Amino acid sequence: MADLLFGDDVSNSSKIGIAERDSLRQFRDDLYNEYGIYFPENKFYKLKAKVGKRLRSLNLDTIEEYDKYLQENPSEVSDLLDVISTNTTRFYREERHWEFLETKLIRKWQNQSKVACWSAACSSGEEPYTLATLLEEARREGKFEYNILATDLSENVLQSAVRGVYSTNALRPLRAAHPELVDQCFQSMGRGQKRVGKQLRDRVVFRKFNLSSDNYPYCNTFDLVLIRNVLIYFDDKVVKHVIDNLAASLKKGGYLFTGHSETLNKIDHRLKKVRPSIFQK
């Protein structure tokens, strides 16, 4: 996911009327309470513009009408989340993480029989499938078995991830790093598209999950958790909630990756910083 709260909308926000601002504030608060996504008051113009796309698409005039529509049509939540957040991702994104995985973690895991990982904001699947591609090579060498849990809040991107079909252009960053793995793990479908091979798809389980939820079902489960480029959507309170729960889901000695542009400096947590954006329990 990419940066949501970018730039300063103070001047545009001042053009929003009092009644509309009150409606936006209530809508913003509901978003925060349900999903942890936060828009400060100086970003109201951005919130108005993003939600306005859905109003226009549905022929609705007001936030109140849209709120009622949401209550009557729960499937609309995925479309709303898609417009207020940007599901920007790519294969082999932030390559320093993958280099650390290959040079440090896979070697560390060689004495294990099984490795469990969680891609906690998987978007359309490029992150967990990159991870699976790199771990598959180790599995074929008889080092360990692995499985990957991949979760996201948006049902739309999860459906795309389950299909596992990507353009050859989308695969270029992974091919540049590991051309032989792309040829081994992806099947050509013609017309410039490839599908993730069954051996990888069988290793990745996709589920819908709300990171702001109080009910994290995992404890001491994972060797690696990736929570990259999603913390920017949350205020410090929600960041702490998410990190505390993800830390609890890690095995002792397990690792957590955040986005390169994200920091945990403002919160207390139980993780040791190994490198920028890489932490260990």
Side-chain angles (χ1 to χ4, degrees):
M1 302 177 86
D3 195 351
L4 176 72
L5 306 180
F6 180 78
D8 194 346
D9 296 325
V10 173
S11 60
N12 285 323
S13 292
S14 65
K15 299 176 183 178
I16 299 175
I18 294 175
E20 187 175 21
R21 180 177 291 276
D22 289 342
S23 296
L24 282 169
R25 183 179 292 110
Q26 181 60 55
F27 191 80
R28 183 274 310 271
D29 291 347
D30 290 343
L31 273 177
Y32 178 74
N33 292 332
E34 187 68 25
Y35 305 111
I37 299 172
Y38 185 68
F39 284 84
E41 302 248 340
N42 66 339
K43 308 295 181 184
F44 270 17
Y45 186 81
K46 187 179 291 291
L47 177 60
K48 176 184 176 182
K50 289 176 176 290
V51 177
K53 293 179 181 179
R54 295 307 304 152
L55 267 67
R56 290 190 294 274
S57 176
L58 297 168
N59 267 333
L60 300 175
D61 295 321
T62 66
I63 290 286
E64 289 83 1
E65 290 177 356
Y66 184 58
D67 194 39
K68 181 180 179 182
Y69 182 87
L70 275 170
Q71 295 175 35
E72 295 173 349
N73 300 271
S75 62
E76 169 63 16
V77 170
S78 285
D79 292 322
L80 169 63
L81 294 172
D82 286 345
V83 297
I84 64 173
S85 60
T86 306
N87 291 297
T88 300
T89 185
R90 64 178 180 272
F91 283 95
Y92 213 71
R93 186 183 187 187
E94 299 184 334
E95 63 185 50
R96 283 178 290 173
H97 283 154
W98 304 118
E99 291 169 357
F100 184 84
L101 174 84
E102 294 178 87
T103 60
K104 303 294 184 182
L105 297 192
I106 287 180
R107 291 180 183 178
K108 179 183 176 70
W109 294 336
Q110 286 181 7
N111 294 326
Q112 296 181 204
S113 60
K114 193 171 185 179
V115 169
C117 304
W118 184 4
S119 171
C122 68
S123 187
S124 47
E126 287 88 340
E127 178 178 274
Y129 287 134
T130 296
L131 178 59
T133 301
L134 301 179
L135 294 180
E136 180 66 15
E137 183 178 38
R139 187 192 71 82
R140 288 176 175 177
E141 293 175 1
K143 293 177 181 176
F144 51 75
E145 296 293 322
Y146 71 91
N147 57 58
I148 300 168
L149 172 67
T151 63
D152 202 277
L153 190 55
S154 169
E155 293 179 359
N156 292 338
V157 297
L158 286 172
Q159 289 172 6
S160 177
V162 169
R163 286 195 298 272
V165 177
Y166 302 93
S167 70
T168 52
N169 284 338
L171 284 163
R172 282 182 177 179
L174 184 57
R175 178 175 286 283
H178 292 286
E180 74 289 352
L181 293 183
V182 172
D183 292 335
Q184 293 169 7
C185 297
F186 292 80
Q187 304 166 342
S188 178
M189 299 184 66
R191 294 182 297 181
Q193 290 187 316
K194 287 183 175 290
R195 189 181 189 195
V196 180
K198 186 176 185 300
Q199 72 272 30
L200 263 62
R201 285 186 280 117
D202 287 347
R203 299 280 173 171
V204 184
V205 175
F206 290 96
R207 294 285 184 270
K208 182 178 179 180
F209 185 72
N210 183 354
L211 289 167
S212 67
S213 167
D214 291 329
N215 301 311
Y216 278 62
Y218 311 106
C219 185
N220 302 319
T221 300
F222 298 103
D223 298 280
L224 172 66
V225 170
L226 299 98
I227 181 68
R228 307 189 306 163
N229 306 300
V230 68
L231 299 178
I232 51 175
Y233 289 82
F234 305 139
D235 64 5
D236 292 344
K237 178 182 176 182
V238 177
V239 168
K240 178 170 174 53
H241 171 79
V242 171
I243 294 300
D244 284 349
N245 280 281
L246 293 179
S249 76
L250 283 169
K251 297 175 183 176
K252 184 178 181 181
Y255 289 81
L256 182 141
F257 293 176
T258 65
H260 288 332
S261 62
E262 296 171 322
T263 177
L264 303 185
N265 292 342
K266 293 183 179 180
I267 66 167
D268 293 325
H269 55 80
R270 297 175 286 170
L271 302 170
K272 176 180 70 174
K273 186 174 182 179
V274 177
R275 296 185 181 183
S277 74
I278 297 177
F279 301 85
Q280 186 179 22
K281 183 173 178 179

